[in-house]
């Protein structure tokens, strides 16, 4: 095992985006089937976790979601690896800007062109391409900030949230756990009930479980 090598968990679009700037670190990947576009070795399904743990590899959860943009499945996958005792690697694109007084959690991904300005980013958070997280924000574990989204200063976003592409979150707001903000939405009030918020009036849609 070489220094800084990592095993990706997932081989879809997000994993391929990570490979754009971290290909030299990717020792291999786990997934349902091989993907010829992925760098590194296909190492099997999640059942290969335990042999890889014994070899000392750190992991990075590169699976985002399937179906509705909700983060439960990703959270469940993270918990499987946590219970197994996995270590997690944080991946930060060279073109991202992370200011010195920012804090980045384990297993987070800060993607190409993202800006983190004196903010606290939780474990397994994804701040996607071109997104901005402004000063004094906190982003809870396993939250996804979509490409081009802007999070205003002093905003607190909870765990397992999904902030869609191009969304705008005004300064000083609180968004509770397990909330999805739809693509392009503008949020100017606190969101305190879990569900999916969409449209100009941020209508709440609570999907059936």
């Amino acid at each position: 095992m070489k220094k800084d090598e990592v095993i990706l968990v997932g081989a879809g679009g997000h994993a391929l985006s990570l490979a754009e700037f971290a290909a030299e670190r990717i020792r291999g990947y786990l997934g349902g089937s091989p993907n010829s576009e992925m760098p590194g070795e296909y190492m099997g399904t999640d059942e290969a976790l335990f042999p890889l743990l014994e070899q000392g590899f750190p992991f990075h959860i590169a699976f985002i979601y399937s179906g509705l943009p909700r983060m439960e499945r990703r959270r469940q996958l993270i918990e499987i690896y946590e219970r197994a005792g996995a270590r997690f690697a944080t991946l930060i694109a060279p073109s991202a800007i992370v200011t010195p007084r920012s804090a980045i959690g384990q297993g987070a991904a800060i993607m190409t062109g993202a800006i983190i300005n004196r903010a606290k980013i939780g474990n397994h958070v994804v701040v996607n391409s071109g997104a901005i997280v402004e000063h004094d924000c906190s982003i809870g574990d396993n939250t996804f900030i979509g490409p081009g989204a802007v999070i205003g200063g002093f905003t607190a976003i909870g765990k397992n949230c999904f902030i869609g592409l191009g969304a705008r979150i005004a300064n000083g707001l609180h968004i509770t756990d397990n909330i999805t903000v739809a693509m392009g939405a503008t949020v100017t009030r606190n969101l305190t009930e879990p569900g999916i918020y969409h449209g100009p009036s941020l209508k709440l849609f609570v999907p059936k479980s």
Side-chain angles (χ1 to χ4, degrees):
M1 181 177 67
K2 297 178 182 178
K3 183 181 179 181
D4 295 332
E5 283 187 321
V6 64
I7 306 297
L8 293 188
V9 181
H14 180 60
L16 289 168
S17 294
L18 289 166
E20 288 293 302
F21 65 83
E24 71 283 354
R25 291 190 60 187
I26 298 172
R27 172 66 177 81
Y29 63 96
L30 301 175
S33 60
N35 182 344
S36 61
E37 296 184 73
M38 283 290 295
E41 175 187 354
Y42 175 63
M43 294 179 158
T45 65
D46 293 323
E47 294 178 357
L49 163 62
F50 292 100
L52 292 170
L53 281 173
E54 292 177 358
Q55 297 177 52
F57 285 108
F59 296 85
H60 182 91
I61 306 297
F63 171 82
I64 298 299
Y65 68 92
S66 60
L68 285 171
R70 296 154 64 195
M71 302 301 282
E72 289 96 332
R73 288 192 62 192
R74 189 170 191 267
R75 175 183 53 78
Q76 291 165 1
L77 182 61
I78 290 167
E79 289 175 350
I80 290 170
Y81 279 73
E82 287 177 337
R83 287 195 297 268
R87 295 185 300 115
F88 297 100
T90 297
L91 299 177
I92 301 176
S95 62
I97 298 172
V98 179
T99 62
R101 295 183 66 184
S102 295
I104 310 297
Q106 293 184 358
I110 311 301
M111 305 298 287
T112 302
I115 299 174
I116 312 296
N117 179 24
R118 206 177 76 229
K120 182 178 180 181
I121 306 298
N123 298 332
H124 306 289
V125 167
V126 176
V127 181
N128 221 314
S129 304
I132 299 173
V133 181
E134 265 299 346
H135 63 87
D136 302 289
C137 285
S138 64
I139 310 297
D141 296 348
N142 186 39
T143 281
F144 178 94
I145 308 297
V150 178
I151 315 300
F154 293 101
T155 289
I157 297 178
K159 299 178 181 179
N160 311 314
C161 292
F162 185 99
I163 309 301
L165 184 152
R168 299 290 187 265
I169 314 293
N171 293 357
L173 298 183
H174 176 75
I175 295 175
T176 198
D177 299 345
N178 304 308
I179 276 180
T180 291
V181 174
M183 177 178 67
T186 297
V187 181
T188 58
R189 59 182 171 86
N190 294 334
L191 302 180
T192 59
E193 182 179 353
I196 299 173
Y197 291 80
H198 64 97
S201 63
L202 286 183
K203 184 177 179 180
L204 173 61
F205 167 65
V206 181
K208 295 180 180 179
S209 58

